[in-house]
Amino acid sequence: MNKYRFLLLLFLVYSALHSQQQGYSFGYRLEYMPDSTDVMNTKVEDFTLFIDKGKSYFVSDNYLKRDSILNAAAKTQGFNFAKAPNTHFKSVIIKENDKINFYDNILKYYFAYTENVKFKWNIEPEKQKIGEYNVQKAFTEYGGRKWTAWFTQDIPVHEGPYKFRGLPGLIIKIEDSGSNYRYELISVKKKNLPINVIFSEKYLNQHKILSKEEYRSALKNINDNIINEASSSGITIAPESVEQAKKDISKRNNPIELTLN
């Protein structure tokens, strides 16, 4: 992006946000290490942060595409559902003020929890440029990890990827101290919140409300009994694939949050 297009984009985003217009989204790329015992095995997935009517919505791009495809094809005979993009991130994170609503879909289960988080940021004087953005360094701790963020006041949005927010500008990059998870901004687009089922009130209301501790316990129980849970959800795992399925689950041992807070 050349300098003039970049400055024009910043002006349009700034004007839209301050005039309470909607219609901008921020794309982030996540690089992460799902298996803490295999540091060479890193995965990549893209996400989008939507800003709409005082709330933000953070969701996997593959989950958005999957939701659209599956709902459009629900009445189509012979559709191969295996062609829908796969993702391990079937969550929708909705943030408003200090409240974070987390909605997740695991097999046949729909769980949700709410937490009130006010991140304690330590803003450092160190500054640099990431791409076209003037950024400044900040630290916080969350979920049992120490995080380093780089934010820009060029875009006056006090938001960021995943649950992170509360800095005086948009988070351009954030990474934990062990380089297990790193989000980085890859796009700014003029794009409205899409009309997907996963953003609908009907969909969100079907989730069972738990405490965060109850959610983590339920998730562990499902993973510990994944073969039976998959079967009860209508997923058939061939006998010769059972051990591989268990092995695959055991390799997802490095969640982004290690502790409750």
Side-chain angles (χ1 to χ4, degrees):
M1 182 184 298
N2 65 45
K3 180 179 179 181
Y4 297 106
R5 288 182 60 194
F6 171 73
L7 292 174
L8 176 60
L9 177 60
L10 287 186
F11 173 76
L12 291 173
V13 172
Y14 187 90
S15 299
L17 293 169
H18 278 267
S19 63
Q20 301 303 310
Q21 295 177 28
Q22 308 301 325
Y24 277 90
S25 66
F26 305 93
Y28 287 91
R29 178 157 294 154
L30 168 66
E31 293 186 31
Y32 69 105
M33 188 191 309
D35 183 357
S36 61
T37 67
D38 186 1
V39 296
M40 300 303 293
N41 179 26
T42 58
K43 304 290 185 182
V44 176
E45 187 152 348
D46 291 347
F47 293 75
T48 300
L49 173 70
F50 297 96
I51 309 296
D52 185 75
K53 299 177 182 177
K55 297 181 182 180
S56 71
Y57 299 75
F58 188 75
V59 66
S60 156
D61 287 359
N62 277 348
Y63 192 34
L64 271 177
K65 294 173 186 175
R66 184 178 180 84
D67 176 62
S68 296
I69 291 171
L70 294 184
N71 280 284
K75 298 180 181 179
T76 303
Q77 293 184 350
F79 177 78
N80 184 358
F81 288 93
K83 292 183 178 179
N86 196 19
T87 177
H88 290 304
F89 299 93
K90 296 181 180 179
S91 58
V92 179
I93 300 173
I94 302 177
K95 294 175 276 184
E96 183 178 17
N97 299 323
D98 294 331
K99 185 170 70 173
I100 299 172
N101 292 315
F102 186 92
Y103 301 89
D104 204 5
N105 169 214
I106 308 155
L107 296 175
K108 65 180 179 181
Y109 301 102
Y110 294 83
F111 297 130
Y113 67 82
T114 297
E115 58 181 326
N116 293 300
V117 180
K118 191 167 185 178
F119 290 98
K120 297 179 180 178
W121 294 101
N122 293 316
I123 298 177
E124 299 291 311
E126 184 178 347
K127 297 180 180 179
Q128 60 172 268
K129 290 200 77 167
I130 296 180
E132 298 286 349
Y133 299 101
N134 299 299
V135 299
Q136 188 168 353
K137 197 174 189 178
F139 296 99
T140 194
E141 292 187 22
Y142 180 73
R145 298 186 189 274
K146 296 180 180 180
W147 297 88
T148 300
W150 293 91
F151 69 96
T152 181
Q153 297 188 56
D154 294 341
I155 301 179
V157 179
H158 303 175
E159 272 290 353
Y162 192 56
K163 298 177 180 178
F164 298 108
R165 65 186 327 195
L167 282 166
L170 183 72
I171 295 174
I172 300 299
K173 180 179 178 181
I174 186 166
E175 180 176 12
D176 76 285
S177 58
S179 297
N180 296 275
Y181 286 81
R182 180 172 70 249
Y183 291 96
E184 188 160 2
L185 184 74
I186 58 173
S187 68
V188 178
K189 296 179 181 179
K190 189 173 182 179
K191 184 177 181 181
N192 290 315
L193 182 71
I195 304 174
N196 279 63
V197 171
I198 58 174
F199 297 131
S200 69
E201 187 174 343
K202 181 179 179 181
Y203 174 82
L204 299 175
N205 284 341
Q206 76 182 55
H207 290 69
K208 182 178 180 181
I209 306 299
L210 303 174
S211 67
K212 187 175 180 179
E213 186 173 8
E214 290 170 335
Y215 163 77
R216 287 167 62 93
S217 178
L219 184 60
K220 181 179 185 304
N221 184 63
I222 291 170
N223 286 334
D224 289 345
N225 299 280
I226 191 61
I227 305 303
N228 290 335
E229 291 290 355
S231 178
S232 68
S233 298
I235 300 172
T236 301
I237 299 177
E240 63 272 18
S241 301
V242 168
E243 290 306 314
Q244 184 60 47
K246 291 180 178 179
K247 187 177 179 180
D248 290 343
I249 288 293
S250 70
K251 290 181 178 180
R252 298 206 294 267
N253 56 44
N254 191 25
I256 189 170
E257 295 183 38
L258 301 173
T259 62
L260 286 173
N261 49 45

